[in-house]
Amino acid sequence: MLSTIQHMVAFLFGYQTTVSSDTITVTEDNYTLKGKIAPRFHNEGNTDVSILNVTVKPGEMFNCSANNFSMKGSINIIMPDGGKVVCIYNSLHKKDC
């Protein structure tokens, strides 16, 4: 029900979402979540990484999402040499007129 209401509000006020990704290969002490909706972190490297003090093994995913809500704040990502994390997220934008 909430999802349906949110979609109707977005449609009526002229908003749309887009999907984007960031590739992270170095330690980020303050990786921003500002404006990101449902960010998911995929460890695409060959070593363990630490995201928000959680160990994420190669091939695993860390879900840091508040579905349907734009986030704020930042998190730490500790990346050893050779690490690679891809963050996939949505963001809300006013439609072009």
Side-chain angles (χ1 to χ4, degrees):
M1 176 78 169
L2 178 60
S3 179
T4 301
I5 292 170
Q6 289 171 331
H7 283 87
M8 289 172 35
V9 169
F11 174 77
L12 291 173
F13 288 102
Y15 284 89
Q16 62 187 9
T17 61
T18 56
V19 66
S20 301
S21 69
D22 296 336
T23 300
I24 304 154
T25 57
V26 296
T27 293
E28 293 276 349
D29 292 327
N30 291 299
Y31 178 78
T32 186
L33 297 175
K34 183 178 180 182
K36 292 177 173 69
I37 300 170
R40 291 138 345 254
F41 296 86
H42 300 265
N43 184 348
E44 299 292 325
N46 296 319
T47 60
D48 293 355
V49 297
S50 177
I51 302 173
L52 208 62
N53 299 320
V54 173
T55 300
V56 182
K57 300 206 174 287
E60 290 184 351
M61 180 185 76
F62 179 78
N63 191 354
C64 185
S65 70
N67 290 336
N68 300 318
F69 293 99
S70 181
M71 299 185 79
K72 65 179 188 175
S74 61
I75 61 170
N76 64 332
I77 300 171
I78 300 173
M79 184 77 57
D81 288 340
K84 179 181 176 184
V85 169
V86 177
C87 178
I88 300 170
Y89 59 92
N90 294 71
S91 50
L92 190 62
H93 303 280
K94 185 81 171 159
K95 286 184 184 177
D96 296 331
C97 297

